[in-house]
Amino acid sequence: MSASGLDVFDKTLQTTHIWLKEIETKVGPDRQVAWKVLSVVLHKLRDRLPVDLAAHLGAELPLLIRGVYYDQYEPAKQPAKWNRDEFVAEVQRWLSDIRPVAAPDAIDAVFGTLSHYVSPGQIEKVKRALPDDIQACWTNGASIGRPRGETTH
């Protein structure tokens, strides 16, 4: 028998922990911080996407992560028109209530995790829907908030 009594809940909890562990490797070993980073970056990414694409991305997320993805969603206000600098600033603003985490590191961690676990075709559609300056950072693996070649260390 499963721990919760429902296999679907156990599976999504296990998958969520896997995603959070991956994020923790980039933002530090704190599960609550990793959850906040995941939820903030997902919200800001979702808000930057056209509504239909946001829904398609949401459909590919694990159940528990899908719940946080849709939390406080207002499709009538989408998509936001942020460029890279505005996107990074918006993420940083929403991360201000936890221990310091640089928005570029948070964004890189979540984009990388999405790239590992969401289908490549869906990731390509998401990338193409983003403005060139955000898209280029994700596509080329450069840090979203730093010029190419600049590292976080």
Side-chain angles (χ1 to χ4, degrees):
M1 181 160 175
S2 70
S4 70
L6 288 171
D7 289 338
V8 68
F9 289 162
D10 294 338
K11 173 91 170 112
T12 193
L13 191 56
Q14 179 184 19
T15 302
T16 299
H17 283 296
I18 291 168
W19 285 41
L20 293 175
K21 270 188 175 178
E22 184 165 332
I23 291 167
E24 284 179 285
T25 65
K26 297 178 182 173
V27 301
D30 185 323
R31 190 64 44 109
Q32 291 180 351
V33 169
W35 180 254
K36 177 72 174 200
V37 163
L38 178 62
S39 63
V40 166
V41 175
L42 281 177
H43 283 175
K44 299 312 160 192
L45 175 61
R46 171 205 70 197
D47 291 348
R48 188 64 184 79
L49 297 173
V51 174
D52 60 335
L53 184 55
H56 287 287
L57 176 59
E60 292 207 26
L61 300 176
L63 186 60
L64 186 58
I65 296 170
R66 189 180 317 148
V68 76
Y69 177 77
Y70 283 114
D71 186 41
Q72 301 179 25
Y73 187 38
E74 297 182 60
K77 294 183 177 181
Q78 308 318 326
K81 298 296 183 189
W82 303 312
N83 63 29
R84 184 187 71 186
D85 292 340
E86 293 163 330
F87 182 78
V88 171
E90 188 67 11
V91 168
Q92 193 68 63
R93 183 170 76 86
W94 283 90
L95 292 176
S96 66
D97 63 346
I98 59 171
R99 75 161 165 74
V101 174
D105 295 337
I107 295 164
D108 288 344
V110 174
F111 281 9
T113 301
L114 288 170
S115 293
H116 287 141
Y117 298 108
V118 173
S119 71
Q122 187 63 48
I123 292 299
E124 285 306 312
K125 290 176 188 175
V126 168
K127 288 177 186 178
R128 283 193 306 264
L130 296 171
D132 290 344
D133 56 356
I134 297 173
Q135 182 184 140
C137 291
W138 195 343
T139 301
N140 296 326
S143 175
I144 193 163
R146 296 179 186 85
R148 285 197 177 87
E150 185 178 323
T151 64
T152 60
H153 297 82

